[in-house]
Amino acid sequence: MDPIALAQKLQALAQSGLTFSQDQFDIERYEQLRALAAQLMAEQFSADPLQVQSSFSQQQGYATPKIDSRALIVRDGKLLMVREMDDGGWCLPGGWVDVGDAPRQAAEREVLEETGLQVRATRLLGVWDRNQHGHPPHPFHIYKLIFLCEELGGELAISHESLDIGFFAADDLPPLSLTRIVPLQIETSLRIAREGSEPWCD
């Protein structure tokens, strides 16, 4: 098993165990398991194990994957993309699904916040397991949802969350923010949107 996936699994087991255990000896064992997961993850990222362990300890409750919701918006045959502040790469607009959001609402909200456009999510194009598609490593397990969206109004405007926004031809995309999106996800989502075929599902 990949060391990142192994560390994610160990962290999830420790988190869930700490949520439900009442025996002090079991709690100590799960805390040790979480520390081992943090050490393994820190080695993969060349990070401080204590910082990783602190990040892990902030996660509470039964451990489940996080959800990233993204929007595919096509105008005149070109894709709407945003340039991210943290790595300078480009991606489909989107972000974390907040508690209380339906996944499609999260995609619509993120588009408005990042680009100034009002959109409606009309179709789920795919559910992607981030661990399986060549993204750079991440401490937590993530599912990525991509929705086809139609424009309703608004005007393009750069927000505090992005460096730039624009529409790009699918065969002439700018350098991607690979932590958020990889070429296969864009290519497959476009094909599904055009053909009306079944959504991708890992």
Side-chain angles (χ1 to χ4, degrees):
M1 179 182 281
D2 174 77
I4 296 289
L6 178 59
Q8 289 173 343
K9 184 71 173 176
L10 292 173
Q11 189 278 331
L13 288 170
Q15 178 181 326
S16 297
L18 288 168
T19 298
F20 296 107
S21 293
Q22 297 183 2
D23 181 85
Q24 186 58 41
F25 294 106
D26 285 341
I27 290 171
E28 290 175 4
R29 291 184 188 98
Y30 283 121
E31 287 175 342
Q32 291 174 357
L33 184 63
R34 183 169 61 190
L36 289 172
Q39 182 177 349
L40 179 59
M41 187 69 73
E43 289 173 0
Q44 304 309 307
F45 286 95
S46 299
D48 180 352
L50 293 178
Q51 289 182 336
V52 176
Q53 187 168 348
S54 175
S55 176
F56 283 171
S57 66
Q58 293 173 21
Q59 307 297 312
Q60 298 180 0
Y62 185 81
T64 61
K66 296 180 177 295
I67 302 175
D68 175 25
S69 187
R70 304 248 153 218
L72 182 77
I73 301 159
V74 182
R75 181 195 286 182
D76 299 326
K78 296 184 176 182
L79 301 177
L80 178 62
M81 305 199 68
V82 297
R83 188 175 183 197
E84 296 292 336
M85 283 193 161
D86 62 352
D87 64 5
W90 292 78
C91 66
L92 302 178
W96 297 124
V97 176
D98 291 337
V99 172
D101 276 348
R104 66 190 306 155
Q105 291 173 327
E108 294 165 352
R109 172 181 49 77
E110 288 286 339
V111 172
L112 181 61
E113 291 175 355
E114 293 182 352
T115 73
L117 295 182
Q118 296 173 333
V119 300
R120 178 173 57 216
T122 59
R123 184 164 177 241
L124 177 66
L125 299 174
V127 179
W128 302 78
D129 181 342
R130 189 185 184 281
N131 283 356
Q132 297 185 35
H133 296 285
H135 292 275
H138 193 281
F140 297 103
H141 194 183
I142 298 167
Y143 290 163
K144 186 175 299 294
L145 281 59
I146 300 178
F147 290 91
L148 179 64
C149 294
E150 64 178 9
E151 293 186 57
L152 301 177
E155 295 183 5
L156 284 177
I158 298 174
S159 75
H160 67 281
E161 298 183 25
S162 53
L163 294 172
D164 201 359
I165 50 179
F167 284 88
F168 297 88
D171 60 357
D172 190 24
L173 295 177
L176 298 180
S177 174
L178 295 177
T179 191
R180 294 172 177 84
I181 199 81
V182 294
L184 176 65
Q185 292 161 342
I186 294 175
E187 294 163 9
T188 304
S189 297
L190 267 175
R191 177 181 55 77
I192 291 170
R194 289 171 178 160
E195 296 176 357
S197 50
E198 291 296 311
W200 175 279
C201 186
D202 281 329

